[in-house]
Amino acid sequence: MTGIRLTAPAPGWAIDADVVVVGSGVAGLTTALRCAAAGLDTVVVTKARLDDGSTRWAQGGIAAALGEGDTPEQHLDDTLVAGAGLCDEEAVRTLVTEGPDAVRRLINTGAHFDTTDSGDIALTREGGHHRRRIAHAGGDATGAEISRALVGAVRGAALHTIENALVLDLLTDFEGRTAGVSLHVMGEGQHDGVGAVRAPSVVLATGGMGQVFSATTNPSVSTGDGVALALRAGAEVSDLEFVQFHPTVLFLGADSEGQQPLVSEAVRGEGAHLVDGDGVRFMLGQHELAELAPRDIVAKAITRRMHEHGAEHMYLDARHFGASMWEQRFPTILAACRAHGIEPVTDPIPVAPAAHYASGGVRTDLRGRTTVPGLYACGEVACTGVHGANRLASNSLLEGLVFAERIAADIAEVRPPRTEPAERPAASGGTAEGPVALLAPEARTAIQRTMTRGAGVLRSADSLAAAARELEGLHRDAAGAGGAKAVVPGVDAWEATNLLLVSRVLVAAAREREETRGCHWREDRPDRDDAHGRNHLVVRIAPDRTPVVDRTESAAFPPVRASH
C-alpha cells in the first residue's frame, strides 16, 4: 500500500456490505446483479445517475460469434490481429468462448436486440471483423438498450444504489486488504458529504478516462477516477499508452472541446466510404478491409490525409444509403448530425479522430482480481489483456459482460469476511504517506490541452517530453513548490487531481514505449519493434508519488498476488 490518498474530510457516515460496485455501466451492473443473485449484500455506487455512464453512448453493438458459420476461433483471430501482437491469448480465448452465452444471458435479463424477418439476431460488421458478428439494438442505440435493461433489472431487484457519488479512495484494513471505499455524495444523493461503504470486496467499473484529452467521445464523468484510486491504493496499471482514437467522430470545429458525437463504425460496416475533400476514397489500397480496417489503421490514415491536404477533417460519405435507411438503421447518428446542421442524406459527414477508449487500465487476472487483495476491476477501467495494443470494435461491451460474471463468481466463491478499515494518520501532502495536495479545478483545461498536444494521435519523444514537463510542473505547483494556495476539497478539484495522476502515468508509459504499435503512434519511431516491444508496461506509483515503469517478459500478464 502507498498510503497516498486524496485530501478530503473524514467520512461522516458509513454503511456495511459484502460487495461495493463502483460504476453503473454494463460491467458494474452485471457484476452487481450476479453478486446479489449469489446472496451477497451488494451496494452500487455511481457518479451520476444509474444510466449516465459510457455504456449508454455505445452505438455500434456487442461482438460475439452468434451468426451461422461464425466461431469463437474466428473471433479470436480477428481480436489477436487487431491487438497488434500484445493480446493475452488466454484472456481473448476466455472472452470469445464465454461471450455468446453471456450475450444470451443479457437477452434473458431483458435486453432486446434488433432481429431479422426470420426472428434471428440481426448482425452487422465493423472494422477488423471478417464476419458479421455485431449484435445491435435500436439501429444505433445498443448501449442505451443494454443500459435500460440492466438498470431495470437492478431496480427490480431492489439493490442498494448510491447515485451522484464520486468515489475517493480505497479503504484497507491493518493487513492491507480491501475494506471498502470512501466517497462524496453530490446534490441529490441519499447522504450528504463524505462517507464510506465498508465492504471486503470492491469492484471498480468506473469506465474510461477520455476526459484527459480536449476532445473525446466519453461523457464528462470519464475522468479516470478508478485508475487514479487504484494507483493511490498501490495497484498496478498496464497498457495506458494505448488510447484508441475513434476514426470517425463528428467534426464540430478545431476549437471544439469536451464530449463529441460519435459516428459509429457500423456506418462503415453498412457501406459508407471515407473520402477526402476532393471526394477520393483514400482507404482503398491501404488495407485489405479498406474502411473496415482496424481502428488504429483507419485513424492513422485519416490523420495522414489531413496532414497531406492541410485539412482539419475528412468526410464519411453515406449519401447512397438514402433517407429510409438512415432513419431506420442510424436514427441516433442522423439526429446528432442534423442537430449540428449536417444532412447525411444529401451531404458527406465531416469527421476526425478523437479520444475514445482506453485499451489499458488496472491490471487484472482472468477473475478480475487486481494486485491489491479484495480489489477487482472490470470493463474499460480494467486491463485484462484482451485488447492488447488496439481494441477490436465492439469487444468492449462483451469484455464488461464476460468478466463481470467471472468477478461475481469469484467473490461468491471466496466470500471474504468483513474487516474494519484501518485509521490513517492525517499527514500533510508531500512525499510521505498522506493526502495528495489537490489541483485547482481550472487546471483541468491545461491538462487536457497538454495531453492533446503531446500525447494525442501523433506522438514523439519531443512532444511527450514537453507534456511530461508541463504535467510535472502542475504536480509541483499543487504540492506547494510554486507557492500555490491550498485548494478547497470538492468534486472539481478531485477530478482535476485524478486527471493529472492518470495523465502523468500515461505519458510515462508512452515515453518508455519507443515504437509504433497499435494505437500508440510514435512518428519518431514509425516501425513496430517485435524484438523488444512484445511485452506490457506495468506502472505503479512509488511512495514519493513518481510513476515506476516495469516491463513484463512477454505478451502474457504475470499472475497477480495469490493473497486474494
Side-chain angles (χ1 to χ4, degrees), residues 24-34 50-51 55 105-107 109-111 143-157 159 397 400-401 404:
S24 60
V26 63
L29 295 187
T30 300
T31 304
L33 286 166
R34 297 291 182 270
L50 275 181
D51 61 354
T55 290
R105 284 189 288 273
L106 178 62
I107 292 170
T109 303
E145 170 58 18
I146 291 173
S147 181
R148 179 205 63 77
L150 291 174
V151 168
V154 164
R155 288 184 172 144
L159 264 66
L397 291 174
L401 202 59

Side-chain angles (χ1 to χ4, degrees), residues 285-549:
Q286 298 262 355
H287 189 275
E288 59 163 340
L289 296 176
E291 281 90 354
L292 287 179
R295 286 180 181 174
D296 61 316
I297 292 170
V298 180
K300 289 171 188 174
I302 291 174
T303 303
R304 283 195 195 100
R305 199 71 162 193
M306 285 162 55
H307 285 185
E308 290 168 3
H309 285 231
E312 293 179 326
H313 60 83
M314 289 288 110
Y315 293 94
L316 189 63
D317 191 352
R319 291 175 290 180
H320 54 286
F321 284 5
S324 177
M325 180 173 172
W326 266 112
E327 289 163 2
Q328 292 176 24
R329 180 68 178 84
F330 300 111
T332 308
I333 298 169
L334 180 64
C337 288
R338 286 174 170 171
H340 292 284
I342 299 159
E343 179 47 76
V345 177
T346 57
D347 299 301
I349 305 167
V351 293
H356 180 59
Y357 188 88
S359 293
V362 186
R363 187 172 80 81
T364 75
D365 65 9
L366 296 185
R367 296 184 179 187
R369 301 180 298 188
T370 74
T371 52
V372 174
L375 178 65
Y376 297 78
C378 190
E380 190 173 354
V381 71
C383 185
T384 61
V386 159
H387 304 306
N390 177 59
R391 174 178 67 98
L392 180 65
S394 289
N395 268 356
S396 50
L397 291 174
L398 190 70
E399 182 195 32
L401 202 59
V402 167
F403 285 90
E405 293 186 340
R406 291 184 140 251
I407 287 171
D410 192 71
I411 296 172
E413 179 184 337
V414 176
R415 293 184 183 266
R418 298 180 185 180
T419 57
E420 285 295 315
E423 293 293 328
R424 301 293 177 194
S428 60
T431 59
E433 176 174 314
V436 175
L438 299 178
L439 208 61
E442 55 268 25
R444 177 172 178 152
T445 301
I447 294 167
Q448 292 169 330
R449 291 177 178 172
T450 292
M451 292 296 289
T452 299
R453 277 195 309 271
V457 179
L458 270 176
R459 302 166 178 178
S460 68
D462 289 343
S463 76
L464 290 166
R469 283 194 300 272
E470 292 171 29
L471 296 172
E472 290 308 312
L474 290 170
H475 176 66
R476 284 195 306 273
D477 288 348
K485 184 172 66 175
V487 175
V488 176
V491 172
D492 291 342
W494 289 322
E495 286 186 334
T497 303
N498 285 339
L499 285 171
L500 178 61
L501 175 56
V502 171
S503 297
R504 290 172 64 219
V505 170
L506 191 160
V507 168
R511 296 180 77 183
E512 185 74 18
R513 185 169 290 282
E514 295 181 326
E515 62 162 352
T516 289
R517 182 181 297 272
C519 49
H520 173 64
W521 189 7
R522 288 279 299 257
E523 57 182 336
D524 56 333
R525 302 274 185 163
D527 299 319
R528 190 164 127 175
D529 181 6
D530 279 339
H532 304 98
R534 289 202 63 184
N535 45 36
H536 300 276
L537 300 178
V538 175
V539 190
R540 57 187 170 80
I541 292 295
D544 67 357
R545 304 172 192 216
T546 58
V548 178
V549 184

Side-chain angles (χ1 to χ4, degrees), residues 2 214 256 348 360 404 425 526 552:
T2 65
S214 296
S256 183
T552 63

